[in-house]
Amino acid sequence: MSLDGTYDDGNIFAKILRGEMPCARVFEDDHVLAFMDVFPQARGHTLVIPKRSQARNLLEEEPQNLTGLILGVQRVAKAVRAALQPEGLVITQFNGAPAGQTVFHLHVHIIPRWEGQAMGRHASGGMADMDELKRLAEQIAAKIS
Ligand code: 5GP
């Protein structure tokens, strides 16, 4: 799906937001939901999505939703750092399939990095163990401030 198109509310993140699909939930406020990526590129890979949004990508998002989104991203990133003690954090976001986007509800990736540990490839790794993801989600949630 290119940058042109319409929002499909059957996408997996819309289903998670409606409670139709499970997720390992880390954090939620009025603006964002954060949960563990099931195909993590590193231990602790977390996604932050705007809750009241029909934006497929950053370019489509209503400007008034962006502040809540980035504040949520920063808050969750700080909690990931506090919980897992990474030495670096990749915070990234893809717009359109040719750029690597595979789920078409705007989202931001928070990927912890450790020196000497390679990051997994985007959208091509194995599925994580759900119990392990829930443990990580709890660890990160405990550090939200
Ligand atoms: P994108 O490729 O659109 O930037 O990122 C989508 C992300 O969603 C990928 O990193 C992928 O691993 C993750 N993902 C795909 N399906 C699911 C799912 O059902 N649940 C969760 N929690 N993550 C998913």
Side-chain angles (χ1 to χ4, degrees), residues 12-13 35-39 94 100-103 107 109 122:
I12 189 73
F13 294 170
F35 52 94
M36 306 311 297
D37 194 306
V38 286
F39 301 104
F94 301 89
Q101 186 175 10
T102 57
V103 177
H107 54 279
H109 298 260
H122 177 68

Side-chain angles (χ1 to χ4, degrees), residues 90-133:
V90 172
I91 297 181
T92 192
Q93 187 270 325
F94 301 89
N95 300 280
Q101 186 175 10
T102 57
V103 177
F104 297 92
H105 178 109
L106 173 61
H107 54 279
V108 177
H109 298 260
I110 299 172
I111 308 174
R113 300 298 313 273
W114 289 268
E115 199 67 49
Q117 286 187 24
M119 188 167 83
R121 288 186 59 202
H122 177 68
S124 59
M127 192 165 184
D129 176 73
M130 205 37 149
D131 289 337
E132 167 68 1
L133 288 187

Side-chain angles (χ1 to χ4, degrees), residues 3-144:
L3 291 175
D4 298 314
T6 51
Y7 183 84
D8 173 6
D9 69 3
N11 77 75
I12 189 73
F13 294 170
K15 289 181 179 174
I16 287 173
L17 280 169
R18 291 194 297 268
E20 295 167 9
M21 289 291 288
C23 71
R25 182 178 163 283
V26 171
F27 171 73
E28 186 168 3
D29 66 9
D30 284 350
H31 307 284
V32 297
L33 173 67
F35 52 94
M36 306 311 297
D37 194 306
V38 286
F39 301 104
Q41 289 179 254
R43 184 170 162 270
H45 183 166
T46 306
L47 300 169
V48 181
I49 68 175
K51 279 168 63 170
R52 284 192 290 270
S53 176
Q54 295 232 313
R56 293 173 309 142
N57 55 57
L58 184 67
L59 283 64
E60 291 181 357
E61 186 56 287
E62 300 292 340
Q64 64 268 25
N65 288 343
L66 292 175
T67 304
L69 174 61
I70 198 66
L71 289 175
V73 169
Q74 189 196 46
R75 199 167 175 194
V76 174
K78 285 180 174 180
V80 169
R81 182 188 185 190
L84 304 180
Q85 307 287 309
E87 294 161 319
L89 285 168
V90 172
I91 297 181
T92 192
Q93 187 270 325
F94 301 89
N95 300 280
Q101 186 175 10
T102 57
V103 177
F104 297 92
H105 178 109
L106 173 61
H107 54 279
V108 177
H109 298 260
I110 299 172
I111 308 174
R113 300 298 313 273
W114 289 268
E115 199 67 49
Q117 286 187 24
M119 188 167 83
R121 288 186 59 202
H122 177 68
S124 59
M127 192 165 184
D129 176 73
M130 205 37 149
D131 289 337
E132 167 68 1
L133 288 187
K134 282 183 183 159
R135 274 193 295 277
L136 282 165
E138 282 169 16
Q139 270 178 266
I140 298 167
K143 297 293 184 183
I144 294 278

